[in-house]
Amino acid sequence: MSRFLNDRYSSLEVYTPGEQPKDKKYIKLNTNESPFPPSEKTVAAVNADEIRDLRLYSDPECSELKMAMAQSYGVKTENVYVANGSDDILNFAFMAFGQNGAVFPEISYGFYKVFAELHVVDYITVPLEKDFSIDADKYCFNGRLTVIANPNAPTGLCLSVKEIEQIVKNNPDGVVLIDEAYIDFGGESCLPLINKYKNLLVTGTFSKSRSMAGARLGFCFADKEIIDDLRRIKYSTNPYNINRLTLVAGKAAIEDDAYYTENCKRIIENREYTVAQLEGLGFRVIPSKANFVFAESDWIDGAELYSKLKEKGILVRHFDSERIKNFNRITIGSIEEMREFIKTVKQISEELQ
Ligand SMILES: *Cc1c(COP(=O)(O)O)cnc(C)c1O
């Protein structure tokens, strides 16, 4: 750290992304990426003409992409905002709406805490229930920014739209941000509620169900006034925050919805397979509506399973925090990857006998 750094940032605990090691080829089940490539039409959209146009700035309004999204999701363009990954939107949301503090579940996406600290937002966390679920009734902190990942990460558990509506209703004087990064894998989106509540902000991403983690593209829906607040911050920081190639790829992906819906179906099938197999091997698996499962067993410690899998060329995500340290979060990949994963877990269990 240099002596020039603003004191405000010197004690920040930064977010730790999942590892992307280059030492050998791993089966990567650690960062919830898609095992499937973007669709052919998405790939074709990023063509030589678009690359030549990189000399020009991208459209700061992202009009074409926003129109495509509005049409696909059945909302008005004024209710859509797109950004450089949904992390970018979360960042802005803490900046914009955290004035009276924030609240989020104790176990959830690790970035919420980082953004709260970055923007000096006073935050409180609510413990999960015994079964790792979120009790919607406990989120009554009117005035604070409430942030809920639905499905939650790393548990994969999903609240119903009714429960989300309860939270939104209970907090009329604070923004309720529902992070739907994993909603396409079996949960029900609360998007229709934006027409009814002015304090609801629903975020989503192209990183998981749309196979574009490397393109960095996120989006959100809300009442026009909230969208305008986000635009206000964007035009005060980085108006061209989405590059031209990502804009055209994103639009093509939206227009090729059938391909991505089919991929989600396959992921859900592969998830069911993985859950059944893991349970057969003595694991407790939290019921997941995401493209990952969260599992523990009493025959191997979470950290040990993580290391043994890594030794054998499979990466999963392990978290050190006390309550979940016996678990691993396993991304659902292709069926071949999941068979290999299960085979390897079996092998590890046999080696221990
Ligand atoms: C992956 C993830 C995001 C971030 O998505 P990007 O669009 O890649 O920035 C946001 N929220 C949750 C809960 C996630 O798991």
Side-chain angles (χ1 to χ4, degrees):
M1 205 176 298
S2 83
R3 63 197 163 90
F4 309 108
L5 181 67
N6 189 322
D7 289 342
R8 205 172 131 174
Y9 302 125
S10 57
S11 60
L12 271 187
E13 236 188 273
V14 304
Y15 178 73
T16 322
E19 54 189 332
Q20 309 274 6
K22 300 276 177 281
D23 58 331
K24 63 176 182 189
K25 199 148 173 54
Y26 289 93
I27 294 185
K28 264 189 100 278
L29 307 179
N30 69 327
T31 46
N32 301 340
E33 290 142 328
S34 173
F36 309 116
S39 74
E40 288 301 327
K41 281 184 197 154
T42 311
V43 173
V46 187
N47 58 31
D49 282 343
E50 292 297 335
I51 294 170
R52 283 186 203 101
D53 278 348
L54 284 176
R55 72 189 178 83
L56 302 168
Y57 280 110
S58 55
D59 169 17
E61 275 302 302
C62 310
S63 303
E64 291 194 22
L65 174 60
K66 281 198 304 195
M67 281 192 296
M69 297 223 46
Q71 192 173 23
S72 170
Y73 282 85
V75 298
K76 291 191 198 141
T77 310
E78 65 183 32
N79 300 119
V80 186
Y81 175 83
V82 290
N84 191 307
S86 59
D87 287 340
D88 214 27
I89 300 171
L90 298 172
N91 182 28
F92 281 15
F94 277 89
M95 212 189 281
F97 310 120
Q99 192 159 229
N100 302 320
V103 57
F104 40 86
E106 188 178 334
I107 297 172
S108 192
Y109 186 39
F111 233 139
Y112 302 152
K113 187 165 156 275
V114 176
F115 287 135
E117 283 172 8
L118 176 65
H119 300 301
V120 206
V121 169
D122 162 62
Y123 69 93
I124 49 179
T125 60
V126 178
L128 297 182
E129 303 307 294
K130 272 209 183 69
D131 61 359
F132 289 98
S133 63
I134 288 170
D135 180 355
D137 291 339
K138 291 191 175 157
Y139 291 80
C140 277
F141 300 93
N142 198 12
R144 284 182 189 260
L145 165 68
T146 306
V147 183
I148 308 253
N150 197 48
N152 195 17
T155 64
L157 287 167
C158 199
L159 291 170
S160 66
V161 173
K162 219 171 126 204
E163 289 167 302
I164 298 290
E165 181 163 14
Q166 201 53 48
I167 297 173
V168 178
K169 262 193 200 162
N170 287 344
N171 295 277
D173 295 323
V175 168
V176 175
L177 187 162
I178 305 298
D179 179 347
E180 293 193 346
Y182 300 105
I183 202 67
D184 296 334
F185 302 103
E188 191 189 346
S189 174
C190 67
L191 172 60
L193 297 179
I194 64 159
N195 298 315
K196 207 163 151 194
Y197 299 97
K198 284 187 174 286
N199 62 325
L200 173 63
L201 173 60
V202 184
T203 65
T205 178
F206 282 68
S207 298
K208 316 281 163 55
S209 59
R210 288 199 181 90
S211 305
M212 284 170 59
R216 310 306 305 126
L217 186 56
F219 56 90
C220 65
F221 304 108
D223 183 73
K224 179 176 185 297
E225 290 181 3
I226 285 192
I227 298 296
D228 286 343
D229 295 341
L230 296 172
R231 293 175 66 241
R232 197 177 174 82
I233 295 185
K234 160 174 153 146
Y235 280 97
S236 310
T237 50
N238 186 2
Y240 309 108
N241 62 344
I242 309 181
N243 74 74
R244 299 183 76 97
L245 302 183
T246 294
L247 285 176
V248 291
K251 178 165 178 274
I254 284 294
E255 290 166 353
D256 213 359
D257 210 41
Y259 170 83
Y260 296 99
T261 307
E262 181 58 30
N263 285 350
C264 290
K265 254 175 65 189
R266 284 157 76 186
I267 296 286
I268 292 169
E269 285 165 18
N270 300 352
R271 181 178 73 207
E272 311 294 301
Y273 163 84
T274 308
V275 171
Q277 294 290 316
L278 280 174
E279 285 177 347
L281 290 167
F283 281 81
R284 166 189 178 212
V285 188
I286 311 283
S288 170
K289 294 267 189 234
N291 66 340
F292 56 80
V293 291
F294 201 48
E296 69 164 348
S297 80
D298 52 17
W299 58 263
I300 188 164
D301 164 78
E304 194 185 347
L305 178 61
Y306 161 83
S307 317
K308 286 192 184 290
L309 283 167
K310 186 170 179 186
E311 256 168 51
K312 295 177 189 292
I314 298 183
L315 283 180
V316 296
R317 187 91 196 252
H318 179 258
F319 300 92
D320 283 324
S321 71
E322 195 51 38
R323 188 163 169 201
I324 55 173
K325 67 181 178 13
N326 201 39
F327 283 79
N328 278 288
R329 189 195 69 191
I330 303 133
T331 301
I332 303 299
S334 66
I335 193 66
E336 294 78 19
E337 288 174 320
M338 299 330 287
R339 285 202 190 108
E340 189 60 30
F341 164 74
I342 292 294
K343 201 174 99 188
T344 310
V345 175
K346 263 185 203 154
Q347 205 178 45
I348 292 168
S349 107
E350 282 156 14
E351 281 167 14
L352 287 175
Q353 277 157 22

